[in-house]
Structure formats: structure tokens, C-alpha cells
Amino acid sequence: MSDWMVTQGLPPRRRPRALSPLREHLRDTFWFAPTAAMVGVFVVWMVAQELDAALVRSLRDEGDYEALAELLRFADDAKAVVSAVGSAMMTFIGVVFSISLVAVQMASGQFTPRVVRLFVRSRITKATFAVFLATFALTLLVLTSYDSNPDPRAATSVPLVQSVLTLVMVALSLLLFVMYVNTTLRLMRISHVIARIAAESFRVAALMPAPAGGGEMPGLGPVTAWVAHAGRAGVLRDVHIARLVRVARRHGVVLRLVPRIGDFLVPGTPVLAVHGGAAPPRRALRYALSVGVERTFHQDLAFGLRQLSDIGLRALSPAVNDPTTAVQALDRVVQILAALSRRPLDAVAHRDRRGTVRLVRPVPGWTELVDLGFAEVRVCAVGSPQVTRRLLAGLDDLLLLAPSDRREPLLRHRELLRQAVERTAPTPADRAFALLPDRQGIG
């Protein structure tokens, strides 16, 4: 494990896993978990019903009608509870759905629409919604199992196991509801959203292959063929690295990805450049690229900075006017850039088992990442001394950490910020105050 990964508290580097379109589709939808839960609870109910029927048959065979009469009295008492649970679960479902809609609306309006994916993909939200629907469906099924005949000699069904199962589902629903409220409140707090974005960015960086051969990118030679995108238009979300490496090794070529992860692809545009031979057959490259409607964190190194920059811009807009949130976003921008300041960027090489480079994938360079993290926020921060002071402190910290060949974009942003503040600040005292570096902005 590298020293960088140790300092960031990340797990050891592992081979990047391909993005499953089916798994991503299920994670982005709300129908699968409730449907699976209701199907599962129907199966469980059938098993519980058979157990109850077996219990009644056993007592009747033994002639223990007194115990059977006790079970019938218990079932009558439990029926009222099950009926109340069935009515209450619909109210709970409405509450959960309402809270989710309000949370998504607030996050989209106050933070950025890009963070809505955190709410959509929340496992606790889906689990709560699924368990509530399953509990409601179970109460309806259990109510159909109650026998209206009070005579124990004629009783055919006493839903004892089913009633106990319903109470267990109610207890699970209450526990999940508490967890759901706690999770939703955390996701509505900007500090937790920003921290989660930063953590996902570090995971992407941790999956980048370690540089070999002193970090030098080998010469690829001239392009001998091109492979055009033949799928639907959309955002490039994932590259199946292992498959492309195998194809390149089998055909004795080197493949170079032309677009970056996060670029929008149009059918017919080049996606792969082939070096050293003919282009592999189209069928060998099937499912090697995953295209979707929005960006994901899977292999997108710049997506985290994009979201943090959007949060900072939204916070500095006149409609929101929340410079403290912008400062919090800048804290994480500086953290991410500091972690990447000494890592090889621009392109990563993926090798086969013999150590031969087979796939070259472009990633954002240092200048592009710095511009993404600071350019837009810097333009909007001129009228907020709190943000300008934090920007200067962050740039100064990065100047201390970055190698000499990576200081130019940092110095450029620092000088542009100074010029903008001097043009807009009304007095020398205001200019001096706004240009004083402070890691907290203004306390």
C-alpha cells in the first residue's frame, strides 16, 4: 500500500471492477427493492401459513382442543393488532415518501442537482420503503388467513406464526424508520454531503494504477487504426479495463482511449486509437464501454471536483448567498488537490500480466483539475471576503505541497484573484482585508 493511500485511510489498491449497467440501473431506480421485498414476503407468508396449518392439524390429531381454543383466542386478539398495523403502515409509507421528496428538492435547490444521486442511491431509504410496503402487504395476507368459526373442532387455520411474523416486521419497520430519519437528516447537512463527495473522489484516485518505470509513459508510435463509437449517445461512465487489455494483448496492439471518462459521446466519433496493428473486430469490443445519461464516480477523477465547484457556485449565488458553504466546499477542493499534487496525471497506462502496456486512458491533468476546483468559484467570490481569504489560504497551502513544475496554475489563480479584488474593493482597507489568507475565511 502506498504512503498516499495510508494517509488518506484508503484500502489497498485493487484491480478496477467493471461497471455493471444492470447494477447501475437497479441502484438508480426505486422499483426493484420494493418489488423484491413484496415477492419475498409473499413467499414467507406462504411458508408461515403452511406452518400454522401444520400446527392446527397436529393439535387436532392429538385431540388437544383446549390448546387449540387458546390459540383461537390469541388469534382474535392479534387480529385487532394486525388490522391496526395495516392501517398505520400506509401512513408511514406516505411520511417516508414525503420526507424523501422534500429532501431531494432541498438538496437540488440548495446544493446542486448532481448530489440528488446520493438520495436516489441511499440504501436505507430503499430498504425502509421496501420493508414498509412488505409489512403492509403481509398484514393484508394475514387478515385473509383468520378463520371466522370460533369452534376449535372446526377450525382449519390459526395464524399464530403469521401474527408473530407481522409483529417482527413491525419492529423492523420502526427500527428502519429511525435509521431512515437519521440518514436523511445527515444527507440534508451540507458538511456530510461534501465529506461524502470527497471520500468518493479519494476512492477513484486509489483505483488508479501505480506508475511503473519511473512514471514515464511509453511511446505508442503512430496511430494505425481508429474505432468509432457505435452505441447510443450519452456520457462515457466506464471502460471495461480488463476486457480491453485482453483484446489488445490477443491482437498484439496498444489501445488508447480518446475521450475521457465523463465526456459526452456521439455515435460515429472516435473512441479508441489503435497503435501497432489493425483494429480488433467489433465483436471483441462489445460491452467494453458503458454509456449513460449522467456521470458517476466509478472512474471519473474530476466528478468530485465538479460537484464541489457546483456547490460553491450555488452557495455564492444571490438567491442562496451562503459563503460559509462555499468555504466548506473549498476545504474539500484543497484536500483533494493536495492529495493529487504529486501523483502522475494526464494519462494512466494499464498493463497485461507480462508488464506490457496495452491500454492508455486519459485522465484530467493537474492544470485542468486546478481550474476545475478554483476558476468558477474565484470569479463569483470577488464580493465575499470570507471566500477570497479561504481561496488565498488554500492556494498558498497547495503552493507549499505541489512540485515546482505544478505551481504555475496556482500562481495564476492567485494573481487573477488579487487583480479582481483590487478592481472591486472600494477602499485599500477592504482590499487588504479581502486578500489576507485565512483557512477559515472569517472565523
Side-chain angles (χ1 to χ4, degrees):
M1 190 180 343
S2 65
D3 294 338
W4 178 83
M5 296 176 68
V6 173
T7 57
Q8 300 302 326
L10 296 171
R13 182 181 288 110
R14 64 180 187 275
R15 190 179 185 87
R17 184 178 62 175
L19 189 70
S20 169
L22 176 61
R23 185 172 64 247
E24 287 297 297
H25 172 71
L26 295 180
R27 292 181 66 185
D28 287 335
T29 58
F30 255 87
W31 64 266
F32 177 73
T35 303
M38 287 189 289
V39 171
V41 81
F42 179 76
V43 174
V44 172
W45 170 75
M46 293 183 63
V47 174
Q49 187 182 44
E50 184 60 32
L51 291 175
D52 286 330
L55 177 61
V56 171
R57 287 195 300 268
S58 175
L59 292 176
R60 292 179 63 180
D61 292 342
E62 295 177 1
D64 193 354
Y65 294 107
E66 183 178 351
L68 194 55
E70 289 291 333
L71 291 181
L72 286 173
R73 285 191 290 270
F74 171 81
D76 286 337
D77 296 336
K79 184 176 181 180
V81 176
V82 173
S83 299
V85 168
S87 301
M89 290 315 300
M90 286 306 297
T91 303
F92 267 112
I93 292 172
V95 169
V96 171
F97 195 67
S98 300
I99 293 176
S100 298
L101 289 181
V102 171
V104 169
Q105 185 177 10
M106 291 184 61
S108 178
Q110 293 187 1
F111 306 152
T112 169
R114 257 64 63 189
V115 303
V116 172
R117 60 184 296 275
L118 298 178
F119 294 85
V120 174
R121 294 186 172 213
S122 174
R123 295 178 180 177
I124 189 65
T125 301
K126 294 179 180 179
T128 303
F129 198 56
V131 171
F132 280 15
L133 285 175
T135 304
F136 175 70
L138 179 62
T139 58
L140 298 181
L141 293 172
V142 172
L143 288 174
T144 64
S145 300
Y146 283 95
D147 197 334
S148 59
N149 193 339
D151 186 4
R153 297 180 181 273
T156 58
S157 175
V158 179
L160 174 64
V161 177
Q162 298 172 63
S163 300
V164 173
L165 180 61
T166 302
L167 296 178
V168 171
M169 290 293 292
V170 170
L172 179 60
S173 299
L174 295 176
L175 176 62
L176 283 175
F177 183 71
V178 174
M179 296 174 62
Y180 164 76
V181 172
N182 178 69
T183 302
T184 303
L185 290 177
R186 285 173 60 89
L187 288 177
M188 293 175 67
R189 296 168 60 185
I190 186 60
S191 56
H192 291 281
V193 173
I194 290 176
R196 179 139 174 206
I197 292 173
E200 290 182 333
S201 299
F202 286 127
R203 293 191 189 100
V204 177
L207 292 176
M208 293 176 59
E216 296 293 333
M217 184 64 63
L220 302 179
V223 177
T224 55
W226 296 92
V227 177
H229 177 53
R232 59 173 180 166
V235 177
L236 179 60
R237 302 191 303 176
D238 172 72
V239 177
H240 198 313
I241 295 173
R243 178 172 296 170
L244 289 177
V245 169
R246 288 196 303 268
V247 171
R249 178 177 56 82
R250 189 178 304 121
H251 292 84
V253 297
V254 178
L255 299 176
R256 177 172 57 85
L257 185 66
V258 177
R260 285 202 313 238
I261 302 296
D263 287 355
F264 190 86
L265 296 184
V266 177
T269 56
V271 290
L272 289 172
V274 184
H275 299 263
R282 178 70 64 177
R283 63 179 182 275
L285 299 174
R286 291 182 61 189
Y287 309 114
L289 304 180
S290 175
V291 175
V293 296
E294 64 178 357
R295 297 168 69 174
T296 69
F297 270 105
H298 186 64
Q299 293 177 350
D300 198 339
L301 185 62
F303 190 40
L305 288 175
R306 177 70 273 164
Q307 291 187 84
L308 293 174
S309 180
D310 287 346
I311 291 174
L313 288 173
R314 183 65 62 91
L316 293 174
S317 66
V320 178
N321 193 21
D322 184 11
T324 303
T325 295
V327 168
Q328 290 179 295
L330 285 173
D331 291 340
R332 298 297 182 172
V333 169
V334 173
Q335 180 190 9
I336 294 173
L337 291 176
L340 297 174
S341 61
R342 296 183 178 272
R343 288 178 60 84
L345 297 170
D346 296 311
V348 294
H350 300 274
R351 305 170 184 268
D352 58 17
R353 296 178 180 178
R354 297 182 179 179
T356 304
V357 173
R358 293 300 181 185
L359 174 66
V360 176
R361 180 167 58 91
V363 297
W366 172 251
T367 300
E368 294 169 303
L369 293 175
V370 171
D371 291 340
L372 177 57
F374 292 127
E376 296 170 306
V377 176
R378 172 179 55 77
V379 173
C380 298
V382 175
S384 176
Q386 181 180 0
V387 183
T388 58
R389 289 158 64 100
R390 180 63 185 99
L391 263 172
L392 288 170
L395 290 169
D396 290 346
D397 290 340
L398 291 173
L399 284 170
L400 295 175
L401 297 173
S404 57
D405 59 339
R406 291 188 173 182
R407 293 177 180 173
E408 188 277 330
L410 301 172
L411 293 172
R412 171 167 52 86
H413 281 287
R414 200 182 195 287
E415 178 61 21
L416 290 174
L417 179 61
R418 184 191 64 80
Q419 294 177 7
V421 171
E422 289 184 348
R423 287 194 303 267
T424 57
T427 64
D430 289 331
R431 289 194 292 270
F433 182 78
L435 293 176
L436 181 65
D438 187 341
R439 290 189 179 90
Q440 293 187 19
I442 306 177

